Amino acid sequence: MELQIIWFALVALLLAVYAMLDGFDIGCGILLPFAKSPENRQRMLGAIGPFWDGNEVWLLTGGGAIFAAFPNVYATVFSGFYLALMLLLAAMIFRAISVEFRSKLISSSWRAFWDGAFFVSSLLMALLFGVAIGNIIRGIPINSSMEFAGTFVGLLNPYSIMIGVLAVAMFATHGATYLVTRSTGELNYFAVAWVNKAWAVYLTIFIVVFSVTLFAEPHLFHNFKTWKYLWLSPMLVVLS
């Protein structure tokens, strides 16, 4: 039991580190179309350029840790979420292609296309991550053989979509905050303006999601009732 808890904490840490390290460039991708000038869009991609392509390693390591420590979970989740994971993989590939290809031709339409691809891929990644987490929180249907017993459409339930929207707001806030620290001039003003918008939206959605979870999924709070000090965790999230 102790080893399972250690592995559970390790997997959670790996996925949390991935969200922190890859979250800022996903957020920058979500905000990219709102930067009006091509120069600012180029500077946004330049701000994430030295870092973004190494952050997926944490996600791969997290998946490998799940395979090693919880093979039944790995088999059930990866088979049940197969179509969603293929969409996620396609989004990750197009994000990489967009960054590499947009500067291959000096053409406004060429760059606009790849900027759009980078935005759609980033938005899709954030949404899919949120939908996946929402379904894991809510619970997925499995049979006695530990095989997924639902459908792809069933994964797109209102609760998981709400978590997906929360993830989009969270990553957008993360990306805007990152740009504040990595930019000057007009782009810095743009980032500050978006921080002021995004954090308020994120906090509002977070409170709504927390309230819905409290009433719709009360079993999730069993540990909070048993160990009162766990309430410090959501309180710290709100305060941060």
Side-chain angles (χ1 to χ4, degrees):
M1 179 62 71
E2 290 78 6
L3 190 59
Q4 290 178 336
I5 294 174
I6 291 173
W7 271 106
F8 184 86
L10 180 60
V11 170
L13 178 63
L14 290 170
L15 297 181
V17 171
Y18 168 74
M20 289 186 285
L21 294 182
D22 207 31
F24 68 82
D25 60 70
I26 293 176
C28 287
I30 294 172
L31 297 176
L32 190 68
F34 302 100
K36 297 180 180 179
S37 67
E39 293 77 13
N40 280 341
R41 288 194 287 272
Q42 181 64 47
R43 290 175 63 193
M44 288 174 68
L45 291 173
I48 66 175
F51 314 108
W52 75 273
D53 55 349
N55 294 328
E56 283 80 6
V57 173
W58 292 93
L59 181 62
L60 297 176
T61 306
I66 295 174
F67 174 76
F70 308 106
N72 289 329
V73 174
Y74 180 92
T76 301
V77 172
F78 277 67
S79 61
F81 291 3
Y82 187 80
L83 182 55
L85 289 171
M86 290 300 101
L87 289 173
L88 178 62
L89 181 60
M92 295 177 69
I93 292 172
F94 266 93
R95 270 169 49 85
I97 293 174
S98 300
V99 174
E100 297 297 332
F101 277 24
R102 74 180 302 275
S103 299
K104 296 300 182 182
L105 291 178
I106 303 176
S107 168
S108 58
S109 58
W110 174 267
R111 291 189 175 184
F113 172 80
W114 290 114
D115 286 348
F118 190 70
F119 162 72
V120 172
S121 300
S122 300
L123 182 66
L124 185 61
M125 282 185 66
L127 187 64
L128 288 175
F129 278 132
V131 169
I133 295 298
N135 277 287
I136 291 172
I137 293 174
R138 181 173 176 264
I140 58 175
I142 58 176
N143 58 26
S144 57
S145 300
M146 290 186 285
E147 296 177 351
F148 180 69
T151 63
F152 176 74
V153 176
L155 297 176
L156 301 177
N157 53 80
Y159 182 80
S160 65
I161 292 176
M162 185 170 57
I163 301 293
V165 174
L166 176 66
V168 171
M170 179 186 71
F171 285 129
T173 303
H174 192 6
T177 306
Y178 174 79
L179 283 177
V180 171
T181 67
R182 300 284 297 182
S183 62
T184 58
E186 182 184 354
L187 182 59
N188 187 263
Y189 294 132
F190 164 83
V192 170
W194 270 100
V195 168
N196 291 332
K197 298 173 185 176
W199 81 266
V201 173
Y202 169 65
L203 181 60
T204 302
I205 299 175
F206 177 85
I207 293 173
V208 171
V209 169
F210 183 82
S211 301
V212 171
T213 303
L214 188 63
F215 291 101
E217 308 291 341
H219 64 281
L220 296 175
F221 296 90
H222 173 74
N223 288 339
F224 288 87
K225 295 177 181 178
T226 306
W227 297 286
K228 304 296 184 183
Y229 61 85
L230 290 179
W231 284 103
L232 289 173
S233 176
M235 290 173 63
L236 288 174
V237 171
V238 176
L239 289 174
S240 66

